Amino acid sequence: MSARPRILLTRRWTSEVEHYLSQRFDVTLNEGDVPLDAARLRAAMTGFDALCPTVTDRIDRNVLSAPDRRVRLIGNFGVGFNHIDVEAAREFGISVSNTPDVLTDTTADLAVALMLMISRRAGEGERELRAGKWTGWRPTHMMGQSLAGKTLGLIGFGRIAQSTARKARLGLGMRIAYNGRRRASAAVEAEHHATFIDSVDELVATCDVISLHCPGGAATHHLISAERLRRMKPSAILINTARGPVVDEAALVQALTERRIWGAGLDVFEEEPKVHPGLLALDNVVLLPHLGSATQETRTDMGMRVAQNLEAFFAGRPLRDPVA
Ligand code: DGY
């Protein structure tokens, strides 16, 4: 019997990390990279010392309550952990860690990319060209809107939001406003030249680009509701690189179809990997398959961050990134 802790990675990770982990732990890989269903996740709770899931795995009370549980650590690959019932984990004495910091700039890059793609109609232009419909340059062809001098309204003002603010202000010349659970310190506000807007209603009504950076979960479910979409300017752009359920997708389809807002750049969806069919039919949206942290470098850094948590945990040291 192996003395090394038994670890299950629920999806394929970069080869560097899989190699690193297999040198140190008794690692089981999900060779086919097919998401595990609830029964297999529940069974894994009894066969391993640590489970390393991702956003595609629902680690709920049913999974966590498996009888004869062996798992003592859920080492999540990702910063968001709304797919894990942290309260139940705590109750069952199971530790949980995540991977903050290492994906901050990569995810912020994608938020900025989506802002530019929507404001400059890049997706629409590319589709026109590929369809052979481009008839040539002309002064009034596919005009977008400039972002310089416009106000970026961030909902949530954590690491990724602040990185987005930095890139948008210094790179694009945007003004910065934000709303968050707590007001940031004066020093952080000064660093980003950021104005705190006390109410989400006011932020969505007054900002030009609204970018979501809040956690998922019950507290933020449909935070961008039909009513808040109605408050937005006709020129407003909505960016979501946070979690799909933060936006009422059906209401968004309606607002975009009726051209009540300019457009939306979405990297996350309410029922991934399903996408509302109404979105697929629209030109004023850019739709990406949850690529926020998807660079070679970042995905390896995320895996190594899980490795650091596993190493700390099994050496009896405090977790580097505890969430429970
Ligand atoms: C995260 O880290 O939460 C991303 O959304 C998926 O990895």
Side-chain angles (χ1 to χ4, degrees):
M1 218 180 83
S2 166
R4 299 191 298 177
R6 295 202 70 209
I7 312 291
L8 174 67
L9 310 189
T10 66
R11 304 301 298 264
R12 295 311 301 264
W13 294 9
T14 67
S15 51
E16 292 97 308
V17 185
E18 288 185 352
H19 177 75
Y20 180 90
L21 287 174
S22 60
Q23 301 293 302
R24 289 156 180 84
F25 299 100
D26 179 358
V27 176
T28 298
L29 303 176
N30 174 358
E31 300 283 351
D33 204 19
V34 176
L36 304 183
D37 61 17
R40 290 186 66 192
L41 289 169
R42 193 169 146 91
M45 294 299 293
T46 61
F48 296 88
D49 298 296
L51 181 66
C52 298
T54 72
V55 66
T56 56
D57 303 305
R58 213 172 125 72
I59 312 295
D60 57 13
R61 182 172 286 273
N62 170 51
V63 168
L64 292 167
S65 65
D68 301 322
R69 228 173 11 252
R70 175 168 165 181
V71 164
R72 288 187 296 129
L73 173 66
I74 307 282
N76 186 51
F77 183 101
V79 67
F81 50 85
N82 59 296
H83 54 290
I84 302 170
D85 186 338
V86 171
E87 207 175 295
R90 222 175 261 137
E91 212 175 285
F92 297 128
I94 303 167
S95 301
V96 181
S97 62
N98 70 340
T99 62
D101 306 322
V102 290
L103 45 67
T104 300
D105 279 328
T106 312
T107 308
D109 285 347
L110 201 85
V112 172
L114 285 170
M115 282 176 215
L116 285 168
M117 286 184 79
I118 285 295
S119 64
R120 300 300 304 275
R121 302 172 65 178
E124 201 182 337
E126 212 221 15
R127 283 189 293 277
E128 180 187 82
L129 184 148
R130 283 179 186 269
K133 291 183 180 161
W134 182 33
T135 56
W137 194 93
R138 56 197 189 278
T140 56
H141 181 217
M142 212 170 269
M143 294 179 292
Q145 50 167 316
S146 300
L147 294 180
K150 303 273 171 70
T151 301
L152 169 62
L154 300 148
I155 299 186
F157 203 50
R159 287 171 286 246
I160 297 172
Q162 289 183 35
S163 174
T164 305
R166 190 174 299 114
K167 292 168 198 288
R169 188 175 71 83
L170 299 175
L172 304 176
M174 297 186 77
R175 298 169 196 280
I176 306 299
Y178 77 97
N179 174 274
R181 268 175 303 177
R182 280 181 302 276
R183 186 166 178 171
S185 68
V188 168
E189 287 189 355
E191 180 189 343
H192 297 290
H193 300 242
T195 303
F196 179 66
I197 299 185
D198 203 9
S199 101
V200 174
D201 284 348
E202 192 188 331
L203 181 138
V204 297
T206 54
C207 292
D208 300 295
V209 178
I210 293 106
S211 189
L212 306 177
H213 299 280
C214 48
T220 57
H221 186 259
H222 287 190
L223 183 92
I224 300 299
S225 58
E227 169 57 23
R228 289 199 167 125
L229 286 161
R230 262 191 289 277
R231 288 175 182 270
M232 291 182 191
K233 300 179 183 182
S235 56
I237 292 171
L238 177 69
I239 304 296
N240 191 5
T241 54
R243 284 292 181 263
V246 178
V247 177
D248 180 339
E249 220 162 79
L252 177 63
V253 168
Q254 209 173 341
L256 289 164
T257 306
E258 293 166 7
R259 305 268 157 183
R260 283 192 276 111
I261 64 172
W262 171 276
L266 308 175
D267 186 44
V268 287
F269 301 89
E270 271 203 82
E271 289 180 49
E272 294 177 17
K274 278 195 252 158
V275 176
H276 192 297
L279 288 172
L280 299 173
L282 290 167
D283 248 338
N284 48 351
V285 288
V286 169
L287 309 170
L288 297 180
H290 205 147
L291 296 179
S293 59
T295 68
Q296 280 283 346
E297 295 86 345
T298 296
R299 289 286 162 86
T300 292
D301 290 347
M302 289 166 74
M304 292 308 292
R305 192 73 172 230
V306 180
Q308 288 166 16
N309 280 293
L310 290 167
E311 286 171 330
F313 185 82
F314 289 109
R317 298 192 308 268
L319 288 170
R320 177 161 188 188
D321 306 299
V323 297

